[in-house]
């Protein structure tokens, strides 16, 4: 149960394009213990091996092609399965005999779902609360980071880079990463001028095998994957333009070899051949990865608002219709019924202007950015996010870190720290996913993630009653000169959690905490009526290094604000206020 199973086989008949469901479909039907039968797609592929030549990854095919089905039993009990193969051109369909197997209970967590207890948060299908602590590993090497942070040119080691990143993530409490199916990494379709690609509808099984490796490596390290299917450049000739390399482009250099058919990228969301081609590719994606519990969710686009003529398509409603159809198909074809979203750029005001994309019933959650003017403290941005974003679905920030070109190392470290600790109190379903993953890795900023992951243990926000207090008032009788303090908190029946911090020191995080003056006698008021009367255990924690620094008992009176006193600190502290059991 909750472990993916696969089966490989070959057919006696060969097909010109085994990826094309207009030519052949190889499906499996799964009968679950409740007697329901559902049909899911299989896929054609082949195996590869990888080696490293100095710093370069080399991938070579092994053996001949085969068909494969993947499925994950989600409940214990007897299941039945059979293959259904259809030669579409011959109008012939055959089915195998039913075969039975029994799934036994396991301790493995199931796929991620929107929580029915509180639809603003996620949980495993097996019932455990899930709060993603994330990092955006959109590519293994990022030229923009190399320039912006003076890293110099880093060698492209392909999936070997991901091996190192994901091992470090697993050790530091990071439980989710974003991975892109981009043209330079794991795209199935791309321009025929690039090795391994053959244009429209003939998928790159080497790229798919490499993505398999990354997903499996992530899962072995306890890390789930937020999988991005398309990035905006594929449909843009102005913003990070990749339109000339898109195989559907009828004006591309290799259009004849690609089978390109679309003249204008802005027509993608309303031109039926483009919609149909996207559906065929989505079928393969769901067949290959749609039974993988280790995929947290899928995003149809990264920064879809930067695609060509997007605003026109939003105004006429075609892009909303496209998202509903595309998300429905992926959810229906994926055996674990994926969470599916899309993503817009900039910050939440832009997302609000495109909110209809996320109101489509098949879109399960919101995803946006939190880039901003670096003069604004990230905690203040998260405060504003909390006050303005109330949409009844889980909300994620999957890109952030200074402005889109980065910022100083001190501010980037401050953003890492504030993004983690502020996320609990900003109406977010997980921490923001920092774009600058190589900054974290090369500067070893993983300790910030490990500390926050330890604090998160035992916290469950799936209450139907939560008071978000993103600007909880603090009082400091004699603050150190030129120092300012803020607090963010939340309360639910039986518990409150919060974070108090020095504004300047968390905006530009210092290398030496001792350079920040110590503050004493800070008090924090929690204006909530959700805490029942009784005795509560108050525990204070330093955030770096993570450690419990103080503990006391606080008496709470029903219906009255609660005032708590913080022990002395320099940069920040976090607290847990939890009702003691009688």
């Amino acid at each position: 149960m909750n472990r993916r199973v696969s089966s490989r086989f070959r057919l006696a008949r060969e097909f010109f394009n085994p990826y094309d469901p207009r030519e052949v479909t190889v499906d499996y039907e799964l009968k679950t213990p409740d007697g329901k039968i559902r049909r899911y797609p299989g896929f054609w592929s082949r195996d590869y091996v990888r080696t490293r030549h100095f710093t370069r990854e080399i991938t070579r095919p092994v053996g001949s092609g085969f068909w494969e089905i993947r499925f994950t039993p989600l409940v214990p009990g007897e299941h039945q399965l059979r293959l259904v193969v259809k030669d579409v051109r011959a109008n012939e369909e055959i089915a195998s005999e039913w075969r039975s197997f029994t799934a036994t209970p396991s301790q493995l967590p199931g796929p991620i779902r929107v929580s029915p207890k509180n639809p603003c948060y996620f949980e495993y299908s097996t019932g455990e609360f899930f709060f993603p602590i994330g990092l955006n590993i959109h590519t293994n090497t990022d030229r923009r980071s190399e320039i912006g942070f003076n890293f110099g040119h880093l060698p492209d080691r392909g999936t070997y880079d991901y091996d190192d990143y994901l091992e470090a993530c697993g050790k530091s409490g990071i439980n989710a990463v974003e991975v892109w199916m981009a043209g330079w990494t794991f795209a199935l379709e791309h321009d025929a001028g690039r090795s391994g690609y053959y244009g429209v509808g003939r998928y790159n099984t080497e790229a798919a095998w490499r993505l398999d490796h990354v997903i499996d490596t992530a899962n072995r390290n306890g890390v789930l994957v937020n999988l991005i299917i398309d990035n905006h450049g594929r449909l843009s000739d102005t913003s990070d333009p990749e339109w000339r390399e898109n195989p559907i482009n009828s004006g591309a250099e290799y259009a004849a070899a690609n089978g390109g058919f679309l003249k204008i990228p802005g027509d993608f969301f309303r031109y039926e051949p483009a919609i149909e081609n996207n559906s065929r590719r989505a079928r393969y994606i769901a067949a290959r990865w749609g039974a993988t519990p280790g995929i947290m969710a899928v995003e149809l686009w990264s920064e879809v608002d930067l695609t060509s003529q997007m605003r026109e398509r939003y105004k006429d409603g075609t892009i909303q219709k496209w998202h509903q159809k595309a998300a429905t198909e992926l959810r229906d074809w994926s055996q674990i019924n994926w969470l599916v979203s899309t993503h817009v750029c900039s910050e939440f005001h832009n997302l609000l202007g495109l909110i209809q994309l996320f109101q489509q019933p098949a879109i399960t959650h919101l995803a946006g950015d939190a880039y901003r003017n670096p003069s604004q403290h990230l905690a203040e941005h998260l405060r504003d996010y909390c006050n303005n974003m109330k949409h009844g679905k889980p909300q994620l920030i999957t890109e952030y870190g200074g402005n889109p070109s980065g910022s100083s190392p001190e501010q980037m470290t401050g953003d890492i720290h504030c993004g983690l600790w502020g996320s609990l109190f900003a109406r977010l379903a997980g921490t923001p996913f920092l774009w600058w993953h190589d900054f974290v890795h090369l500067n070893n900023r993983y300790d910030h993630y490990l500390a926050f992951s330890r604090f998160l243990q035992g916290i469950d926000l799936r209450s139907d009653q939560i008071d978000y207090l993103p600007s909880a008032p603090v009082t400091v009788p004699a603050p150190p000169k030129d120092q300012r303090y803020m607090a963010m908190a939340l309360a639910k029946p039986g518990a409150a959690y919060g974070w108090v911090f020095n504004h300047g020191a968390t905006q530009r995080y210092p290398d030496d905490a001792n350079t920040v003056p110590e503050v004493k006698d800070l008090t924090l008021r929690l204006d909530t009526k959700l805490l029942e009367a009784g005795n509560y255990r108050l525990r204070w924690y330093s955030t770096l290094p993570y450690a419990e620094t103080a503990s006391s008992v606080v008496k709470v009176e029903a219906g009255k604000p609660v005032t708590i006193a913080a022990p002395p600190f320099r940069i920040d502290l976090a607290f847990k206020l939890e009702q003691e059991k009688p």
Side-chain angles (χ1 to χ4, degrees):
M1 176 179 161
N2 294 326
R3 186 187 300 277
R4 194 183 71 191
V5 181
S6 64
S7 177
R8 295 177 172 184
F9 50 92
R10 292 185 174 89
L11 302 178
R13 192 174 299 175
E14 294 186 350
F15 299 90
F16 178 73
N17 185 359
Y19 309 109
D20 191 346
R22 296 170 299 181
E23 185 172 342
V24 58
T25 60
V26 175
D27 300 332
Y28 68 93
E29 291 184 335
L30 184 66
K31 182 186 291 186
T32 46
D34 60 6
K36 294 182 179 179
I37 299 175
R38 291 287 307 275
R39 182 180 288 195
Y40 304 101
F43 62 96
W44 193 90
S45 189
R46 65 185 308 179
D47 270 333
Y48 295 81
V49 295
R50 64 173 189 159
T51 56
R52 188 162 51 195
H53 181 69
F54 295 99
T55 60
R56 175 69 64 176
E57 178 184 43
I58 298 174
T59 311
R60 302 191 313 274
V62 176
S64 57
F66 52 82
W67 291 93
E68 183 171 346
I69 60 171
R70 295 175 177 177
F71 59 94
T72 296
L74 301 176
V75 294
E78 183 174 306
H79 294 65
Q80 290 184 297
L81 183 145
R82 71 173 182 176
L83 294 176
V84 181
V85 180
K86 184 174 183 178
D87 184 332
V88 179
R89 299 191 188 280
N91 195 27
E92 181 181 0
E93 181 176 288
I94 59 173
S96 70
E97 297 292 327
W98 286 99
R99 295 192 177 185
S100 300
F101 65 92
T102 300
T104 57
S106 76
Q107 299 300 312
L108 296 172
I112 303 301
R113 300 282 185 257
V114 174
S115 173
K117 299 177 183 178
N118 184 334
C120 293
Y121 290 100
F122 299 119
E123 65 183 28
Y124 292 96
S125 64
T126 42
E128 304 90 341
F129 178 58
F130 177 68
F131 192 86
I133 302 173
L135 189 62
N136 192 320
I137 312 182
H138 46 95
T139 183
N140 56 314
T141 60
D142 186 351
R143 187 60 178 154
R144 190 163 45 168
S145 287
E146 293 172 357
I147 296 171
F149 295 112
N150 296 315
F151 292 148
H153 183 60
L154 301 175
D156 181 351
R157 302 186 303 137
T159 60
Y160 291 99
D161 283 327
Y162 284 94
D163 291 350
D164 292 346
Y165 282 124
L166 293 167
E167 181 181 5
C169 287
K171 291 179 178 179
S172 63
I174 294 173
N175 59 16
V177 298
E178 179 162 302
V179 175
W180 287 21
M181 296 179 69
W184 59 88
T185 53
F186 309 117
L188 293 179
E189 289 181 321
H190 203 63
D191 184 75
R194 183 170 294 183
S195 176
Y197 288 96
Y198 306 97
V200 176
R202 299 186 69 85
Y203 305 137
N204 186 332
T205 52
E206 177 185 341
W209 181 89
R210 293 170 67 247
L211 181 55
D212 275 343
H213 174 86
V214 169
I215 293 171
D216 292 344
T217 301
N219 295 171
R220 284 195 300 272
N221 284 283
V223 180
L224 305 187
V225 170
N226 187 47
L227 185 63
I228 311 305
I229 295 178
D230 278 310
N231 54 294
H232 68 272
R234 292 175 67 80
L235 285 184
S236 177
D237 47 18
T238 57
S239 178
D240 302 317
E242 296 176 61
W243 173 239
R244 66 181 182 180
E245 298 176 350
N246 193 324
I248 67 175
N249 180 358
S250 63
E253 183 177 3
Y254 297 99
N258 286 333
F261 57 83
L262 189 65
K263 292 182 179 180
I264 303 171
D267 284 342
F268 175 85
F269 296 106
R270 63 179 181 177
Y271 184 53
E272 195 59 34
I275 295 172
E276 291 173 356
N277 184 66
N278 186 76
S279 293
R280 290 189 289 273
R281 185 186 56 158
R283 188 183 195 276
Y284 187 92
I285 290 171
R288 186 151 193 152
W289 296 290
T292 305
I295 293 181
M296 179 189 93
V298 172
E299 285 180 18
L300 300 169
W301 286 92
S302 171
E303 298 185 330
V304 67
D305 51 316
L306 297 180
T307 59
S308 180
Q309 296 183 329
M310 188 273 181
R311 301 289 171 168
E312 291 89 336
R313 300 292 77 79
Y314 187 79
K315 186 176 181 179
D316 65 28
T318 54
I319 197 168
Q320 294 93 315
K321 181 180 178 181
W322 184 93
H323 274 81
Q324 174 64 15
K325 180 181 187 297
T328 299
E329 288 175 339
L330 275 174
R331 301 199 73 199
D332 287 346
W333 282 327
S334 62
Q335 188 249 318
I336 63 172
N337 194 22
W338 268 334
L339 298 179
V340 178
S341 187
T342 194
H343 170 267
V344 299
C345 74
S346 188
E347 42 84 35
F348 69 86
H349 289 96
N350 194 37
L351 194 153
L352 285 171
L354 300 169
I355 197 62
Q356 290 179 19
L357 292 176
F358 302 95
Q359 292 171 338
Q360 304 307 305
I363 298 294
T364 55
H365 58 286
L366 286 72
D369 291 352
Y371 295 117
R372 68 204 190 286
N373 187 323
S375 65
Q376 184 187 33
H377 195 291
L378 181 61
E380 294 173 330
H381 182 77
L382 294 178
R383 174 202 62 198
D384 295 343
Y385 188 104
C386 182
N387 291 333
N388 288 278
M389 296 293 289
K390 304 173 183 179
H391 297 288
K393 290 184 177 182
Q395 302 179 144
L396 290 175
I397 294 171
T398 54
E399 286 189 33
Y400 87 110
N403 61 41
S405 298
S407 59
S408 69
E410 296 82 7
Q411 182 153 30
M412 192 59 65
T413 303
D415 275 12
I416 293 169
H417 194 81
C418 294
L420 292 166
W421 291 95
S423 62
L424 279 179
F425 319 108
R427 214 180 297 271
L428 289 171
T431 72
F433 287 40
L434 188 82
W435 175 265
W436 314 98
H437 59 86
D438 41 7
F439 177 87
V440 174
H441 193 73
L442 296 175
N443 292 289
N444 195 20
R445 295 293 188 264
Y446 290 109
D447 49 353
H448 294 266
Y449 293 88
L450 182 60
F452 178 76
S453 70
R454 290 178 174 173
F455 179 80
L456 188 64
Q457 292 175 9
I459 294 178
D460 187 339
L461 301 181
R462 292 174 296 171
S463 171
D464 59 359
Q465 299 181 75
I466 293 184
D467 278 344
Y468 294 94
L469 310 169
S471 52
V474 298
T475 301
V476 183
K481 185 179 180 181
D482 299 327
Q483 303 301 307
R484 177 185 170 195
Y485 299 91
M486 295 178 61
M488 304 178 75
L490 65 79
K492 66 172 191 171
Y497 307 101
W499 174 52
V500 297
F501 54 93
N502 181 304
H503 184 277
T506 49
Q507 185 167 20
R508 297 178 64 86
Y509 204 91
D511 290 332
D512 183 0
N514 291 320
T515 62
V516 180
E518 186 177 63
V519 62
K520 300 178 180 179
D521 302 322
L522 181 148
T523 59
L524 165 67
R525 190 175 77 248
L526 303 174
D527 292 314
T528 180
K529 296 182 180 180
L530 294 184
L531 298 179
E532 302 172 354
N535 290 332
Y536 286 69
R537 174 63 58 178
L538 173 63
R539 294 182 174 87
W540 289 95
Y541 300 87
S542 63
T543 63
L544 198 70
Y546 179 73
E548 183 176 329
T549 60
S551 176
S552 62
V553 174
V554 175
K555 186 174 182 179
V556 173
E557 298 182 46
K560 293 185 178 181
V562 180
T563 299
I564 57 177
F569 69 94
R570 296 184 184 275
I571 296 179
D572 61 342
L573 290 174
F575 71 84
K576 296 181 179 181
L577 181 67
E578 297 171 319
Q579 190 170 24
E580 292 194 319
K581 305 295 183 183

